[in-house]
Amino acid sequence: MNTENLTNSTVKEAIEALQAGGKETRLSFFSDDAVFTDDGNERDLKAFFDNAFNHEEKFLTLDKVENDGKNLTGDFYAGRWATFKVYFNFHLKEDKIERLDIGQVSKR
């Protein structure tokens, strides 16, 4: 997957780490008290990345990059759960991710 259209350097580096399977590197982009939600439900960020790493979860395509490179939409391979159209919305404070909201894009 091509990450050239990711315009926010922190988001780009975090996504590249996710794509490469860099388990420990991924968490280094987040603040110590970062909030993580999955389909609107607050979840444990470290557990999410542990699961993603174990199942080689990653973006297959990036269809939209919006909000100064902080909101991404694309096809995401979710391991045993199959492939879904998802959004990742990053909230940054300085150069750290302080919140990540992800979820399945609803079909309307």
Side-chain angles (χ1 to χ4, degrees), residues 8 10 36 81 85:
N8 181 286
T10 301
F36 171 67
W81 306 111
K85 182 77 66 187

Side-chain angles (χ1 to χ4, degrees), residues 6 8-22 25-30 49 72 88 90 92 97 100:
L6 295 176
N8 181 286
S9 61
T10 301
V11 170
K12 182 176 182 174
E13 290 174 15
I15 291 296
E16 287 174 343
L18 172 69
Q19 296 298 107
T25 306
R26 293 181 215 169
L27 291 174
S28 69
F29 298 100
F30 291 85
F49 279 125
L72 314 177
F88 276 45
F90 292 87
L92 303 169
I97 301 164
L100 173 59

Side-chain angles (χ1 to χ4, degrees), residues 48-106:
F48 167 75
F49 279 125
D50 285 346
N51 184 60
F53 178 78
N54 291 336
H55 295 103
E56 298 180 2
E57 295 183 9
K58 61 185 172 185
F59 274 98
L60 300 175
T61 65
L62 281 177
D63 303 327
K64 281 198 247 177
V65 178
E66 302 173 306
N67 189 25
D68 297 322
K70 295 178 282 200
N71 295 359
L72 314 177
T73 304
D75 291 323
F76 191 80
Y77 171 72
R80 66 178 184 218
W81 306 111
T83 299
F84 301 100
K85 182 77 66 187
V86 300
Y87 64 85
F88 276 45
N89 294 339
F90 292 87
H91 305 266
L92 303 169
K93 185 173 185 179
E94 297 173 12
D95 64 342
K96 291 287 188 179
I97 301 164
E98 65 178 1
R99 181 182 183 100
L100 173 59
D101 300 308
I102 70 169
Q104 188 173 351
V105 174
S106 61

